[in-house]
Amino acid sequence: MTITAVIVVFAVIWFLTFLVVLPIGHVSQDDAGEVEPGTPASAPAGAVVRRKALITTAVTVVLWAIVVAIILSGAITVRDFDWLGVMGPEKPAVSQ
């Protein structure tokens, strides 16, 4: 697994996790009873993006470590997802 692949896997997991964490605990301005003029009532009442980004990073590190361990161990390979047999039969290992 190259360093680029490691970074891409981390980034994908981070953004997916962020999109899951972002709506958790959302309090709208309408719920808080203080709607700022020029903003929709559904806009967040308090900016808690920093805290959510830190939570996302902590969760991502754990998920990323699990995914990388699975990939590096070979427990799941690309051939496991070849349900239609497009890759053909696996070639035997060449011994030297």
Side-chain angles (χ1 to χ4, degrees), residues 7-8 14 16 22 26 30-31 40 42 45 50 53 59-60 68 73 79 82 85 89:
I7 293 169
V8 168
W14 192 94
L16 287 174
L22 200 57
H26 173 74
D30 189 36
D31 294 340
S42 61
R50 173 179 278 226
V59 171
T60 299
V68 169
S73 73
R79 289 195 174 274
D82 184 27

Side-chain angles (χ1 to χ4, degrees), residues 7-93:
I7 293 169
V8 168
V9 168
F10 186 86
V12 168
I13 294 172
W14 192 94
F15 280 104
L16 287 174
T17 306
F18 187 66
L19 291 175
V20 170
V21 170
L22 200 57
I24 296 174
H26 173 74
V27 178
S28 68
Q29 291 181 10
D30 189 36
D31 294 340
E34 299 175 4
V35 178
E36 289 287 325
T39 63
S42 61
V48 292
V49 177
R50 173 179 278 226
R51 184 181 68 184
K52 290 187 179 193
L54 291 174
I55 292 169
T56 299
T57 303
V59 171
T60 299
V61 168
V62 173
L63 294 175
W64 172 81
I66 293 169
V67 169
V68 169
I70 290 171
I71 291 171
L72 292 178
S73 73
I76 297 175
T77 63
V78 174
R79 289 195 174 274
D80 294 331
F81 298 101
D82 184 27
W83 297 302
L84 300 177
V86 176
M87 296 177 77
E90 190 171 353
K91 295 180 182 177

